[in-house]
Amino acid sequence: MTARTPRAERGDDGPASRTPSPTPRRRGLRALSITFQLLLGLGLGLALTEVAFSVRNGGAFPHVNFYVADPELGVRLEPGATMEFQLKPNPPSTIHVNSRGYRGDEWPAPGGDEVIVVGDSQVFGLGVDDDRTFSAQLAQLSGRPVINAGVPTYGPMEYLAVARELLAERRSKTVVVVLNFVNDPFEIDRPNRDRHAVWDGWAVRSETAPTQVTQFPGRKWLFSKSHAFYTLRRWLHARGTVEIPEDSELGSPVDAGTPSEGGLDDLVLASRSARAAADAEHQTAVAALTGSRARLDAVDKQIADQRVTIDRKLAASSEDGKVGNFQLEVARGKPGDIVREDYGESSRSLQVTASLIRQAAKLRNDHLAAQLKKEEKAGKSELKDLVKAEADLVAEQQRLRKEIAAGVPPRAARRRASTSTCSSSRRCATSTARSWWSSPCRSTCRSTPASGPSTT
């Protein structure tokens, strides 16, 4: 007879071998632990990914990432910002922005022979350290304080706006304007506020900017400071390309660009319209000059008639006969044949003639003043009105003579506003971007402190 093994020893599913089921609380803690481990692993993975991409990029970005929106200029730089920048194959560089929102150290107090340099990324100094920018080199070479007012994305309109803003504040003696011939010809009539928009600290072309963004904690760092996220966005949002010939030297892909950046119209069609406008302006000036000459002839005749009327009244009112037609002619500077040299006859001394003119003029003026007082006492104003009408005609005569003396300026030399002297003795117009751009001496101006700030 075989002995029976107790159920507990055989390992049967008896009451002694069952494991108690976990309580709801323990299940919740276990789920939290697993979630925490997953989040911790994910966080460590993201952190390692960020570090890896940051190390790969040398902590640098290929674009400035601290822009702030501005209603007039489109963008400005965030005051106090700093970043590592590298546009390969150039070496990395460090960018610092001062409290005024411009690159470099804090500015000195206004005054002295300060120089303001305005421009775009060339003046800003993309790709070099603060002390290697064009403005810093100019300060070292000239020994003068130099303000670096260059901002990437700016064009000729913004150059003028920044120059006016800083000149009103600092009263600098010299302004240097650096033109970028790669894109400035397209941006003469295109304000930066229409060309660029700020997207999480980046300046993007207006057509590529989102109409709205969803804000959340950490968005600014994630979208503008994270190297891993930047790489992901670059992969996901590759810009459009166009097909080009295989034998092209440009390579592929090629950025097709956006309408706000300008095109053929800005270079060819716009120049045609500008030339047509200049021709129309020239024709208007010619017509105005012709009209001024015709009007001057009429004014000269009116002045002569007015003076004859006044002189007749003075001669008629002279009771003692001291003021006659001869004296009045002399007083007007018309001594008749006294000093005429075209007759071949001898004439009296010029000193005697001059004395006669002075005496006659004093006699006429004294008599005119007496007659004006006499009329005033009598409550009349006929003579006074004639004298005033003559003065108005003389003023118009002088104005017309100045206009005619100025003539019609040549098309190439025409300017629209205040100018500054150039080293070639020409003038650079600085009131509008178009007239300034068309100036033949836009890069040769010299400092002219006597006539205000100069522009290069």
Side-chain angles (χ1 to χ4, degrees):
M1 182 175 182
T2 304
R4 298 179 63 183
T5 304
R7 182 180 297 178
E9 295 179 5
R10 294 199 310 266
D12 296 341
D13 292 336
S17 64
R18 294 178 180 176
T19 302
S21 60
T23 63
R25 182 173 180 274
R26 293 186 62 185
R27 286 198 299 268
L29 291 175
R30 185 178 180 183
L32 286 176
S33 176
I34 294 174
T35 302
F36 174 76
Q37 292 177 36
L38 290 174
L39 291 176
L40 180 61
L42 180 61
L44 289 175
L46 292 176
L48 290 175
T49 302
E50 177 66 26
V51 171
F53 280 102
S54 179
V55 171
R56 188 198 70 168
N57 298 336
F61 288 98
H63 303 286
V64 175
N65 60 2
F66 43 67
Y67 291 100
V68 292
D70 183 86
E72 179 185 2
L73 302 176
V75 304
R76 286 185 183 266
L77 303 178
E78 179 183 349
T82 183
M83 70 171 293
E84 294 296 317
F85 178 89
Q86 184 177 20
L87 188 61
K88 295 180 179 180
N90 297 322
S93 58
T94 303
I95 298 174
H96 297 95
V97 180
N98 59 30
S99 60
R100 294 298 310 276
Y102 292 96
R103 186 171 187 184
D105 298 331
E106 295 298 327
W107 291 348
D113 55 351
E114 179 180 87
V115 179
I116 295 176
V117 183
V118 296
D120 57 6
S121 56
Q122 289 184 331
V123 174
F124 179 82
L126 281 181
V128 298
D129 290 324
D130 296 344
D131 60 350
R132 300 298 298 172
T133 64
F134 162 69
S135 300
Q137 296 298 304
L138 179 61
Q140 293 180 9
L141 293 174
S142 65
R144 300 170 63 180
V146 178
I147 300 299
N148 184 347
V151 177
T153 75
Y154 280 7
M157 286 187 173
E158 289 70 42
Y159 304 161
L160 293 177
V162 170
R164 293 190 185 103
E165 176 183 300
L166 296 181
L167 282 174
E169 172 190 341
R170 304 186 66 84
R171 303 294 181 184
S172 303
K173 291 184 176 180
T174 306
V175 173
V176 178
V177 179
V178 179
L179 297 176
N180 184 348
F181 279 81
V182 173
N183 47 27
D184 281 349
F186 299 94
E187 300 169 356
I188 297 174
D189 294 324
R190 295 179 180 270
N192 193 41
R193 62 177 178 270
D194 294 339
R195 294 184 286 108
H196 288 92
V198 177
W199 186 6
D200 296 310
W202 310 94
V204 300
R205 290 172 291 184
S206 56
E207 291 88 348
T208 65
T211 56
Q212 60 181 6
V213 297
T214 302
Q215 297 294 339
F216 55 84
R219 179 188 174 96
K220 181 178 180 180
W221 177 87
L222 179 65
F223 279 73
S224 64
K225 306 297 182 182
S226 171
H227 291 269
F229 192 73
Y230 173 81
T231 304
L232 176 64
R233 295 181 75 184
R234 185 177 180 182
W235 178 71
L236 291 176
H237 304 282
R239 294 187 290 183
T241 61
V242 295
E243 296 295 331
I244 58 174
E246 294 182 357
D247 59 349
S248 172
E249 299 179 356
L250 296 177
S252 185
V254 174
D255 188 349
T258 59
S260 65
E261 295 175 285
L264 182 65
D265 290 353
D266 296 270
L267 294 183
V268 180
L269 302 182
S271 65
R272 291 176 182 172
S273 62
R275 182 175 299 176
D279 290 340
E281 182 182 350
H282 179 81
Q283 294 301 324
T284 301
V286 170
L289 181 60
T290 303
S292 296
R293 286 171 175 164
R295 175 58 183 163
L296 180 60
D297 292 340
V299 169
D300 288 341
K301 186 177 184 304
Q302 287 179 313
I303 291 176
D305 293 343
Q306 198 77 6
R307 288 175 174 172
V308 169
T309 302
I310 295 174
D311 289 346
R312 285 176 178 174
K313 290 185 67 66
L314 291 177
S317 63
S318 178
E319 298 176 355
D320 53 7
K322 291 184 178 181
V323 181
N325 290 332
F326 177 77
Q327 287 79 10
L328 292 172
E329 286 290 320
V330 173
R332 291 290 186 184
K334 299 179 180 179
D337 61 353
I338 298 176
V339 292
R340 296 283 297 273
E341 299 181 355
D342 53 342
Y343 287 109
E345 297 180 356
S346 60
S347 61
R348 68 179 69 182
S349 169
L350 291 177
Q351 289 84 349
V352 174
T353 300
S355 177
L356 286 174
I357 293 175
R358 287 195 299 268
Q359 293 178 27
K362 184 177 184 305
L363 183 64
R364 177 188 181 277
N365 291 337
D366 291 343
H367 186 62
L368 176 61
Q371 288 300 115
L372 288 173
K373 289 182 178 180
K374 186 176 180 180
E375 276 197 356
E376 185 179 1
K377 290 181 180 180
K380 299 179 181 180
S381 62
E382 182 181 359
L383 187 59
K384 180 180 179 182
D385 293 340
L386 289 172
V387 172
K388 183 180 183 304
E390 179 193 7
D392 293 340
L393 288 170
V394 170
E396 184 179 4
Q397 181 190 53
Q398 293 175 350
R399 178 182 62 80
L400 290 170
R401 285 177 176 174
K402 288 181 180 179
E403 291 179 359
I404 293 173
V408 179
R411 288 177 176 84
R414 198 158 52 241
R415 298 294 179 266
R416 296 183 181 176
S418 60
T419 58
S420 60
T421 305
C422 291
S423 60
S424 60
S425 299
R426 294 177 294 187
R427 312 283 289 182
C428 287
T430 59
S431 63
T432 65
R434 175 69 64 183
S435 63
W436 172 35
W437 174 263
S438 62
S439 170
C441 52
R442 52 185 169 268
S443 62
T444 58
C445 293
R446 305 294 293 272
S447 177
T448 55
S451 58
S454 65
T455 305
T456 300

